[in-house]
């Protein structure tokens, strides 16, 4: 008999691949053989962005790929096309991969670990009679929302055929969870009805597929979202999976990290820098981009700003005239930062964030207060946790034209940093979550339980 062999399949998006890779490093260190299967498109990007320092990782985790059914130049943000192709092509390709590994490897696949969004993979795993674990990388409250679709239909909040909203309102899944605006449900966020319906259908199908999994593990801590874990007690918290908690390196990036900004941070005084980052998807309207730049300039503080090469349509013209010269060395712009290390750096005073779940738990785990700038789906729910439940950040108000103005940015930075309670509360929350992934902490005990069962 060989050693237990985990085959892991992340959902093909940045915020899904990074935490899955983090989890896989933990499994590899526990003596599992680990194979990670990305789509060919993502595999290429991850391998290209790997740094020399990540050599150990490639030894620890076997990285492989299967096609996603799309051509090289197809738009992978076209959800209708991408999801259709995935469902048509990937299940068969995954099955062939497992057959090939089982024929050629002394260590046959014993467990399939799939992103919850790839629930169809559990159907494939059933054929092979192997263990099945679903991994949920976002907030547990968000998964609770997907699992509540039947109740939303029963309560006549949404239509059963396509998920469209019957009446705009805010809904609460439980008394102790923040209210969600029906316009910010994952599927209702998309502007066109066809995409809304496609995403809704996938959620409904996935809710059924995931019932096949033996366990559903979540990249969250009970201490962060007790009400969501109470609502669905079958969900196990195992997070936050943060590389710095393990003194390791975060891997799985789609862009190469610009580590020179760490040296720049070394030169800044303690708690003096605003870190600004909007994750892997956000695209800015050019006017809003300029307001943000001018707002940062107005704060008179130093700032480290992640400006991805694809962040606005007109990158060359993006900055306001004279901005780069005026801010000089107090403003540092990079294409992609080693975010976890940045957030751990003592020079960082606050995190201006789009509130993606990974960014949220990374900020909390490093005790950094937030300025919240959500723009899509669950980011609004995460903002509610940050501002209203944990009270470790503030949001921005838009003006009548829907823009966040430079003066608003300056005022909120001053408000956040002028009130020491934000920092005190985030440090307190940091202690709670860091303890959860250690020793007798809840997340650590759950992860140990899963590891023992998988062995
Ligand atoms: N990230 C990074 N460097 C950057 C910006 C983001 O390493 O310059 C990482 C960040 O640490 C997080 C992930 O990319 O782990 C983004 O995930 P999140 O859920 O915050 O946002 P999404 O990209 O899914 O909207």
């Amino acid at each position: 008999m060989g050693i237990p062999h985990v085959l892991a399949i992340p959902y093909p998006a940045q915020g899904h691949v990074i935490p899955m890779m983090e989890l896989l490093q933990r499994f590899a260190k526990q003596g599992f053989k680990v194979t990670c299967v990305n789509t060919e498109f993502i595999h290429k990007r991850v391998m290209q962005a790997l740094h020399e320092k990540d050599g150990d990782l490639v030894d620890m985790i076997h990285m492989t790929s299967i096609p996603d059914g799309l051509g090289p130049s197809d738009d992978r943000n076209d959800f209708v096309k991408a999801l259709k192709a995935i469902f048509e092509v990937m299940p068969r390709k995954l099955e062939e991969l497992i057959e090939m590994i089982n024929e050629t490897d002394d260590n046959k696949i014993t467990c399939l670990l799939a992103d919850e969004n790839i629930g169809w993979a559990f159907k494939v795993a059933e054929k092979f009679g192997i263990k099945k674990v679903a991994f949920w990388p976002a907030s547990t409250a968000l998964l609770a929302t997907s699992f509540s679709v039947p109740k939303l239909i029963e309560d006549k909040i949404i239509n059963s055929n396509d998920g469209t909203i019957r009446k705009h309102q805010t809904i609460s899944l439980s008394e102790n969870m923040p209210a969600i605006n029906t316009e910010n449900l994952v599927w209702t966020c998309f502007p066109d009805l066809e995409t809304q319906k496609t995403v809704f259908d996938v959620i409904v199908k996935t809710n059924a597929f995931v019932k096949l999994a033996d366990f559903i593990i979540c990249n969250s801590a009970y201490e962060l979202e007790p009400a969501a874990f109470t609502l669905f007690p079958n969900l196990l918290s195992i997070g936050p999976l943060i590389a710095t908690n393990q003194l390791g390196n975060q891997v799985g990036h789609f862009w190469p990290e610009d580590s020179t900004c760490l040296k720049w941070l070394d030169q800044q005084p303690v708690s003096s820098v605003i870190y600004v980052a909007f994750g892997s998807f956000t695209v800015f309207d050019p006017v809003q981009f300029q307001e943000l730049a001018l707002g940062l300039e107005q704060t008179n503080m130093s700032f480290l700003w992640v400006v991805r090469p694809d962040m606005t349509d007109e990158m060359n013209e993006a900055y306001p005239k004279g901005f780069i010269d005026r801010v000089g060395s107090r403003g540092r712009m990079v294409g992609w930062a080693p975010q976890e290390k940045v957030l751990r750096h003592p020079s960082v005073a606050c995190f201006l964030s789009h509130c993606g779940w990974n960014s949220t738990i990374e900020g909390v785990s490093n005790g950094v207060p937030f300025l919240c700038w959500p723009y899509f789906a669950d980011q609004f729910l995460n903002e509610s946790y940050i501002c209203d439940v944990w009270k470790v950040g503030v949001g921005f108000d838009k003006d009548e034209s829907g823009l966040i103005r430079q003066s608003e940015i300056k005022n909120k930075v001053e408000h956040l940093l002028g009130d020491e309670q934000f920092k005190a509360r985030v440090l307190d929350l940091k202690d709670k979550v860091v303890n959860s992934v250690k020793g007798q902490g809840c997340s650590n005990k759950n992860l140990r339980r899963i590891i023992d069962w998988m062995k």
Side-chain angles (χ1 to χ4, degrees):
M1 234 190 66
I3 52 173
H5 188 168
V6 181
L7 183 81
I9 173 158
Y11 183 82
Q14 181 67 98
H16 295 245
V17 173
I18 289 178
M20 177 69 99
M21 296 292 294
E22 189 53 43
L23 180 59
L24 295 184
Q25 294 192 61
R26 317 278 163 112
F27 287 144
K29 283 182 191 152
Q30 292 296 323
F32 288 93
K33 172 152 191 186
V34 177
T35 299
C36 178
V37 45
N38 277 302
T39 64
E40 283 170 356
F41 183 81
I42 298 296
H43 177 75
K44 223 185 199 168
R45 292 186 72 177
V46 169
M47 297 315 279
Q48 272 169 1
L50 276 182
H51 206 260
E52 276 167 29
K53 66 177 170 23
D54 302 321
D56 284 0
L57 171 95
V58 185
D59 294 340
M60 249 197 307
I61 299 171
H62 174 60
M63 304 289 290
T64 188
S65 62
I66 53 177
D68 60 8
L70 293 168
S73 56
D74 280 334
D75 177 10
R76 282 165 171 79
N77 292 328
D78 178 341
F79 279 82
V80 176
K81 208 167 166 191
L83 288 168
K84 189 165 173 275
I86 284 177
F87 273 90
E88 269 169 19
V89 171
M90 285 182 76
R92 187 168 34 86
K93 294 289 172 191
L94 181 66
E95 199 172 325
E96 286 167 11
L97 178 72
I98 298 177
E99 275 165 3
M100 192 271 286
I101 294 175
N102 285 348
E103 275 164 24
T104 55
D105 198 312
D106 292 341
N107 306 300
K108 293 195 190 329
I109 307 290
T110 52
C111 181
L112 180 101
L113 170 70
D115 192 295
E116 199 271 352
N117 294 288
I118 308 217
W120 51 260
F122 300 120
K123 195 100 185 125
V124 176
E126 283 245 298
K127 291 194 182 168
F128 294 90
I130 54 180
K131 295 179 176 174
K132 301 172 278 304
V133 179
F135 174 59
W136 179 255
S139 78
T140 303
L142 179 65
L143 185 55
T145 319
S146 294
F147 285 176
S148 300
V149 161
K151 172 122 185 35
L152 298 180
I153 294 170
E154 192 186 306
D155 292 349
K156 302 202 169 10
I157 292 169
I158 57 171
N159 289 309
S160 59
N161 56 336
D162 57 7
T164 45
I165 305 163
R166 292 171 69 118
K167 189 173 131 227
H168 290 280
Q169 55 191 297
T170 51
I171 50 170
S172 276
L173 299 182
S174 109
E175 218 180 285
N176 298 318
M177 283 169 73
I180 304 167
N181 188 324
T182 46
E183 283 168 33
N184 295 331
L185 291 167
V186 172
W187 61 96
T188 56
C189 272
F190 290 93
D192 66 294
L193 280 176
E194 194 189 4
T195 312
Q196 285 189 17
K197 182 169 165 32
T198 305
V199 174
F200 178 74
D201 284 347
V202 169
I203 289 174
V204 171
K205 275 191 201 148
T206 305
N207 280 349
F209 283 133
V210 83
K211 292 203 172 102
L212 301 172
D214 299 293
F215 287 101
I216 307 175
I217 55 178
C218 301
N219 190 14
S220 182
Y222 180 83
E223 291 78 358
L224 288 174
E225 312 178 80
F229 284 107
T230 306
L231 196 60
F232 289 98
N234 59 325
L235 303 178
L236 287 185
S237 62
I238 57 145
L241 295 167
I242 304 287
T244 44
N245 286 344
Q246 303 282 315
L247 301 177
N249 272 323
Q250 200 185 48
V251 288
H253 294 259
F254 292 2
W255 291 267
E257 298 164 302
D258 182 345
S259 296
T260 58
C261 59
L262 295 173
K263 292 204 179 71
W264 177 84
L265 279 174
D266 288 342
Q267 289 153 15
Q268 313 303 320
V270 170
S271 286
S272 67
V273 175
I274 310 171
Y275 173 56
V276 187
F278 293 87
S280 57
F281 278 109
T282 335
V283 173
F284 264 74
D285 160 83
V287 180
Q288 183 62 86
F289 185 88
Q290 297 219 347
E291 280 300 313
L292 171 56
L294 294 169
L296 292 171
E297 184 182 342
Q298 271 202 31
T299 63
N300 280 327
M301 287 181 65
S302 300
F303 57 88
L304 170 60
W305 182 8
V306 178
V307 184
R308 291 189 334 271
D310 56 351
M311 196 151 167
T312 107
D313 290 342
E314 301 152 45
M315 213 50 237
N316 292 338
E317 307 290 320
Y319 296 104
K321 205 158 182 275
F323 168 80
I324 305 268
D325 290 337
R326 287 195 303 275
V327 295
S329 62
R330 99 174 144 88
R332 177 82 185 210
M333 275 73 82
V334 292
W336 190 252
Q339 178 160 304
E340 275 205 326
K341 288 188 178 141
V342 167
L343 289 168
R344 191 159 51 122
H345 200 287
S347 298
V348 171
C350 60
F351 183 11
L352 197 166
S353 169
H354 74 311
C355 308
W357 183 247
N358 292 291
S359 296
T360 302
I361 55 178
E362 287 161 9
V364 165
S365 298
N366 288 291
V368 182
F370 291 84
L371 293 151
C372 299
W373 189 313
Y375 71 100
F376 193 68
D378 62 317
Q379 295 157 10
F380 294 98
L381 182 57
N382 300 339
E383 178 190 37
S384 301
Y385 271 97
I386 291 171
C387 297
D388 308 330
V389 180
W390 309 326
K391 299 183 171 39
V392 298
V394 291
F396 291 109
D397 292 323
K398 292 183 174 161
D399 72 358
E400 46 305 329
S401 57
L403 290 174
I404 297 173
R405 291 293 177 187
Q406 46 188 292
S407 53
E408 168 68 3
I409 296 167
K410 174 179 181 283
N411 292 343
K412 287 292 163 65
V413 169
E414 284 171 3
H415 175 68
L416 183 83
L417 298 180
D419 182 345
E420 289 169 3
Q421 290 305 311
F422 286 107
K423 183 72 181 175
R425 281 190 293 264
V426 77
L427 286 175
D428 187 48
L429 193 59
K430 168 189 167 172
D431 279 352
K432 287 188 182 131
V433 297
V434 169
N435 285 331
S436 194
V437 292
K438 288 202 300 214
Q440 288 307 303
C442 181
S443 287
N444 196 37
K445 282 206 290 201
N446 286 338
L447 185 57
R448 286 248 42 106
R449 180 178 158 201
I450 292 294
I451 288 172
D452 290 345
W453 173 81
M454 281 166 65
K455 279 184 174 167

